[in-house]
Amino acid sequence: MIKVVNKSKLHHLYPDRFVVGLTGGIGSGKTRVARVFAELGAGIIDTDAIAHQLTAPGGGAIAAIRSCFGDEFITDQGAMDRTRMRECVFSDRQKKHSLESILHPMIREEVVNLASRLAGPYLICVVPLLSGGDDWKFSRILVVDCDEDNQIQRVMKRDGLSKELIQSIIRQQPSREQRLAFATDVIQNSADFDSLHPEIERLHKIYLQLSSAIQTDYL
Ligand code: ATP
């Protein structure tokens, strides 16, 4: 069943754009699902890629990270030292919060900027750690759901991380139940990937329909 889009959800952050937030746990398949939406014509915004740009040499967040965390968190090349930062924020909630308060507003600003420029009848914005608040003002939230065993197997294969490390990362992310509670749409990705295509195409048609309704109404 299609939920009717509530006009009050069309926030001025993204004038005239229908923006779907796409989230899911580590290794759930967000990137692969987003790639299929891109092939179908959607514009894709990847907040992980934005965070990487902001923390690369010369990136917009480097000065603030240096002043908050110190020179030792910046490499000789001028990028954020990812390994050091990961270890630091993994064990210290306050530091994690400090890093997020530097990065999140900058990421959001760039998302708004991209949303106004990207082509595509609607946009898919991939946000790995979406936690259910309405901060992002997305028109819909699509969750890629996957059981934990599959997440672990896939990330072990993709990144060569240990099972224990992946489990501890999963524990730090919003739980599967939390994500499902705020989803407007869900894609189940626990079976083989090709079986997802019909579901992605079904959602694509719904998003096309809803986005064209918005654009007509705004004219
Ligand atoms: P992360 O949050 O870590 O960036 P992600 O949610 O973007 O992960 P992907 O990178 O899309 O997840 O998928 C994780 C790995 O699992 C990739 O190597 C991908 O090719 C693989 N994968 C995704 N879906 C399936 C599937 N249904 N069957 C088998 N492998 C899959």
Side-chain angles (χ1 to χ4, degrees):
M1 198 184 82
I2 303 178
K3 270 192 194 175
V4 173
V5 177
N6 177 350
K7 278 288 164 64
S8 66
K9 295 277 257 177
L10 302 175
H11 197 262
H12 65 272
L13 276 181
Y14 319 110
D16 297 346
R17 299 312 307 259
F18 187 81
V19 187
V20 179
L22 188 157
T23 193
I26 181 170
S28 56
K30 298 177 293 294
T31 309
R32 277 188 80 167
V33 167
R35 212 173 293 144
V36 180
F37 276 108
E39 284 161 15
L40 293 169
I44 307 294
I45 301 176
D46 179 347
T47 56
D48 258 354
I50 296 172
H52 267 82
Q53 282 160 12
L54 288 168
T55 54
I62 294 297
I65 291 170
R66 191 190 292 277
S67 100
C68 179
F69 288 85
D71 286 341
E72 64 273 29
F73 283 85
I74 307 297
T75 65
D76 292 344
Q77 290 71 41
M80 180 180 79
D81 186 330
R82 278 178 220 295
T83 313
R84 191 163 199 157
M85 187 61 87
R86 199 176 305 124
E87 282 161 11
C88 169
V89 299
F90 209 72
S91 52
D92 186 332
R93 284 182 93 80
Q94 189 53 46
K95 296 271 195 233
K96 183 167 182 265
H97 181 71
S98 301
L99 181 64
E100 286 170 355
S101 46
I102 293 171
L103 287 179
H104 286 186
M106 292 185 183
I107 292 173
R108 222 164 276 172
E109 194 181 322
E110 182 60 9
V111 167
V112 170
N113 181 18
L114 286 170
S116 69
R117 291 193 283 118
L118 270 184
Y122 65 91
L123 303 174
I124 299 271
C125 179
V126 185
V127 186
L129 296 181
L130 203 62
S131 60
D134 197 23
D135 303 353
W136 287 93
K137 311 291 177 193
F138 292 132
S139 300
R140 286 174 92 90
I141 295 179
L142 169 57
V143 168
V144 181
D145 185 47
C146 176
D147 63 72
E148 191 170 314
D149 283 348
N150 265 316
Q151 279 179 279
I152 293 169
Q153 292 309 319
R154 289 173 189 167
V155 178
M156 282 171 78
K157 191 168 163 201
R158 185 191 62 185
D159 300 336
L161 301 182
S162 71
K163 183 175 175 179
E164 291 68 34
L165 179 57
I166 301 164
Q167 281 172 325
S168 63
I169 294 171
I170 291 174
R171 298 283 91 82
Q172 291 215 343
Q173 296 190 334
S175 71
R176 205 172 162 190
E177 292 69 31
Q178 279 171 317
R179 270 192 296 267
L180 290 174
F182 61 70
T184 40
D185 305 302
V186 179
I187 286 182
Q188 267 302 336
N189 186 22
S190 296
D192 82 294
F193 194 77
D194 289 344
S195 67
L196 296 188
H197 281 248
E199 183 55 11
I200 297 175
E201 275 163 29
R202 187 185 74 83
L203 285 169
H204 169 68
K205 284 186 190 136
I206 292 172
Y207 297 157
L208 276 182
Q209 224 177 350
L210 293 172
S211 57
S212 66
I214 288 168
Q215 275 147 21
T216 314
D217 283 357
Y218 268 81
L219 287 176

